[in-house]
């Protein structure tokens, strides 16, 4: 039996990419320094026990009243891709690991021995894209995108940096190393920074907040892996509550809102949202706390017996009944059973998005990367 998981990101339907009503005239001239609001989510299925990728990418917009699934947003790229990360209009993708006929595979320069696999940085709104070299391609690589620089306070540059997180290259050190691509020089370099960590990255691609990229780790004492892009410094931030504080297994994700990193946790005790006040002291402030019973009462059309279902999850390999997938601008994307919902923590509004079967599979594991549409151009060094 083949198991399938999801990888998710965010964007604009293909038929709307050239729509004059999609982007206001004022938005067209704004620099990337202004954060654009959430646009939608991309969902990409992925095999759990196989190195090959599934090429279909499904997109769900959150700005529209009627929800539709679109699957052709990245058709402007020269090959099928996997979505890895996004930031303020730009998306990072990679070539797919695809099973091919040996005769075709041996004569295809883009895929021979995986040596021709590459990365793409693109803007699906204006369909600009560039191809980057990808040395030592690994399906397990994690990435994060950052735009601009602290040395560019007025936002006149659209230079970007792409950070690749890899297992430490030093055999005697358990942790992560970082590779950096800078568009202003058009080259990769290996950072000297190594962050000691015994856990794996989990669920989220890199989230860029206040000059720092953040990744959530797994483990009973989960951490947030951080990397300061300009200073090339990395450290671990403790989460507000470790999973050891609960009887059943909770689920969590991280995201950004109002310029702060947020940590979202759903457990048998309810939905809790914190924002990071001090990154060096791992100090969090609680922003929202709701019991599962309160969620049921306020959204009775969607939920019932949440606490009973939550308490039944006693092992990590058991699928959670309710799972926070991504958080952006106060909007929490979550899955309950086989349905996806969008919950706004500021307005307390819950919106049903779509059922799992609209994405072509009955498997429910998933990871999510938010995307905000913008006309930011690509600088090609």
């Amino acid at each position: 039996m083949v198991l399938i998981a999801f990888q998710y990101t965010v964007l604009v339907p293909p038929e709307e990419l050239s729509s004059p009503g999609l982007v206001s005239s004022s938005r067209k001239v704004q620099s990337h320094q202004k954060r654009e609001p959430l646009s939608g989510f991309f969902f990409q299925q992925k095999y759990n026990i196989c190195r090959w990728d599934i090429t279909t990418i499904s997109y769900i917009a959150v700005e529209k009243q009627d929800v539709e699934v679109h699957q052709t947003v990245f058709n402007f790229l020269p090959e099928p891709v996997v979505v890895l990360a996004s930031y303020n209009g730009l998306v990072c993708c990679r070539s797919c690991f695809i099973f091919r006929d040996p005769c075709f595979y041996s004569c295809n320069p883009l895929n021979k021995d995986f040596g021709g696999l590459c990365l793409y940085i693109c803007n699906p709104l204006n369909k600009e894209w560039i191809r980057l070299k990808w040395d030592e391609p690994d399906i397990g690589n994690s990435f994060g995108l950052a735009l601009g620089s602290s040395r560019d306070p007025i936002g006149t540059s659209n230079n970007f940096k792409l950070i690749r997180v890899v297992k430490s290259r030093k055999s005697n050190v358990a942790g992560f190393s970082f590779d950096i691509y800078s568009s202003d020089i058009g080259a990769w370099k290996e950072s000297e920074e190594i962050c000691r960590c015994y856990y794996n990255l989990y669920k989220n691609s890199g989230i860029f907040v206040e000059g720092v990229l953040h990744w959530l780790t797994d483990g009973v004492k989960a951490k947030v892996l951080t990397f300061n892009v300009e200073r090339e410094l990395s450290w671990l931030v403790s989460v507000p509550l470790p999973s050891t504080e609960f009887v059943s297994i909770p689920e969590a994700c991280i995201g950004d809102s109002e310029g702060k990193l947020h940590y979202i946790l759903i457990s048998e005790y309810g939905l809790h949202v914190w924002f990071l006040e001090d990154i060096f002291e791992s100090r969090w402030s609680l922003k929202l706390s709701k019991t599962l019973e309160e969620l049921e009462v306020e959204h009775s059309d969607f939920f019932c017996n949440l606490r009973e279902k939550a308490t039944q999850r006693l092992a990590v390999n058991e699928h959670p009944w309710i799972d926070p997938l991504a958080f952006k601008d106060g909007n929490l994307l979550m899955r309950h059973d086989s349905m996806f919902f969008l919950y706004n923590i500021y307005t307390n509004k819950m919106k049903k998005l779509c059922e799992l079967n609209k994405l072509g599979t009955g498997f429910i594991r998933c990871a999510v990367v938010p995307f905000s549409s913008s006309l930011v151009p690509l600088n090609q060094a």
Side-chain angles (χ1 to χ4, degrees), residues 44 82 89 103 207 301 354 359:
Q44 188 163 10
V82 170
C103 296
I207 294 173
D301 290 343
C354 73
L359 305 176

PDB file of all heavy atoms in Angstrom, residues 44 82 89 103 207 301 354 359:
ATOM      1  N   GLN A  44       0.064  20.030  -2.218  1.00  0.00           N
ATOM      2  CA  GLN A  44       0.758  19.089  -3.093  1.00  0.00           C
ATOM      3  C   GLN A  44       0.921  17.748  -2.388  1.00  0.00           C
ATOM      4  O   GLN A  44       1.514  17.674  -1.320  1.00  0.00           O
ATOM      5  CB  GLN A  44       2.131  19.630  -3.509  1.00  0.00           C
ATOM      6  CG  GLN A  44       2.793  18.762  -4.563  1.00  0.00           C
ATOM      7  CD  GLN A  44       3.920  19.484  -5.268  1.00  0.00           C
ATOM      8  OE1 GLN A  44       4.332  20.559  -4.854  1.00  0.00           O
ATOM      9  NE2 GLN A  44       4.423  18.897  -6.331  1.00  0.00           N
ATOM     10  N   VAL A  82       7.940  20.876  -7.217  1.00  0.00           N
ATOM     11  CA  VAL A  82       7.445  20.753  -5.854  1.00  0.00           C
ATOM     12  C   VAL A  82       7.617  22.117  -5.185  1.00  0.00           C
ATOM     13  O   VAL A  82       8.697  22.710  -5.254  1.00  0.00           O
ATOM     14  CB  VAL A  82       8.215  19.673  -5.073  1.00  0.00           C
ATOM     15  CG1 VAL A  82       7.860  19.713  -3.583  1.00  0.00           C
ATOM     16  CG2 VAL A  82       7.938  18.308  -5.649  1.00  0.00           C
ATOM     17  N   GLY A  89       5.210  37.142  -2.267  1.00  0.00           N
ATOM     18  CA  GLY A  89       5.077  37.170  -3.720  1.00  0.00           C
ATOM     19  C   GLY A  89       5.970  36.207  -4.462  1.00  0.00           C
ATOM     20  O   GLY A  89       5.669  35.832  -5.593  1.00  0.00           O
ATOM     21  N   CYS A 103      15.156   4.283 -20.428  1.00  0.00           N
ATOM     22  CA  CYS A 103      15.664   4.813 -21.702  1.00  0.00           C
ATOM     23  C   CYS A 103      15.479   6.326 -21.765  1.00  0.00           C
ATOM     24  O   CYS A 103      16.382   7.070 -22.148  1.00  0.00           O
ATOM     25  CB  CYS A 103      14.948   4.138 -22.865  1.00  0.00           C
ATOM     26  SG  CYS A 103      15.267   2.368 -22.976  1.00  0.00           S
ATOM     27  N   ILE A 207       9.751  30.390   7.949  1.00  0.00           N
ATOM     28  CA  ILE A 207       8.882  31.561   8.088  1.00  0.00           C
ATOM     29  C   ILE A 207       9.762  32.751   8.449  1.00  0.00           C
ATOM     30  O   ILE A 207      10.459  32.732   9.474  1.00  0.00           O
ATOM     31  CB  ILE A 207       7.802  31.311   9.151  1.00  0.00           C
ATOM     32  CG1 ILE A 207       6.871  30.202   8.659  1.00  0.00           C
ATOM     33  CG2 ILE A 207       7.009  32.587   9.450  1.00  0.00           C
ATOM     34  CD1 ILE A 207       5.865  29.744   9.677  1.00  0.00           C
ATOM     35  N   ASP A 301     -22.115  24.036  13.577  1.00  0.00           N
ATOM     36  CA  ASP A 301     -22.392  23.470  12.252  1.00  0.00           C
ATOM     37  C   ASP A 301     -21.237  22.604  11.762  1.00  0.00           C
ATOM     38  O   ASP A 301     -21.417  21.788  10.843  1.00  0.00           O
ATOM     39  CB  ASP A 301     -22.634  24.588  11.235  1.00  0.00           C
ATOM     40  CG  ASP A 301     -23.939  25.319  11.472  1.00  0.00           C
ATOM     41  OD1 ASP A 301     -24.788  24.762  12.198  1.00  0.00           O
ATOM     42  OD2 ASP A 301     -24.102  26.445  10.968  1.00  0.00           O
ATOM     43  N   CYS A 354     -12.776  23.028   1.741  1.00  0.00           N
ATOM     44  CA  CYS A 354     -13.066  21.914   0.829  1.00  0.00           C
ATOM     45  C   CYS A 354     -12.838  20.605   1.553  1.00  0.00           C
ATOM     46  O   CYS A 354     -12.230  20.552   2.631  1.00  0.00           O
ATOM     47  CB  CYS A 354     -12.206  21.983  -0.434  1.00  0.00           C
ATOM     48  SG  CYS A 354     -10.479  21.553  -0.159  1.00  0.00           S
ATOM     49  N   LEU A 359      -8.912  16.907  -3.409  1.00  0.00           N
ATOM     50  CA  LEU A 359      -7.498  16.977  -3.729  1.00  0.00           C
ATOM     51  C   LEU A 359      -6.985  15.651  -4.281  1.00  0.00           C
ATOM     52  O   LEU A 359      -5.797  15.511  -4.539  1.00  0.00           O
ATOM     53  CB  LEU A 359      -6.697  17.366  -2.485  1.00  0.00           C
ATOM     54  CG  LEU A 359      -7.157  18.663  -1.822  1.00  0.00           C
ATOM     55  CD1 LEU A 359      -6.370  18.922  -0.551  1.00  0.00           C
ATOM     56  CD2 LEU A 359      -7.024  19.834  -2.769  1.00  0.00           C
TER      57      LEU A 359
END
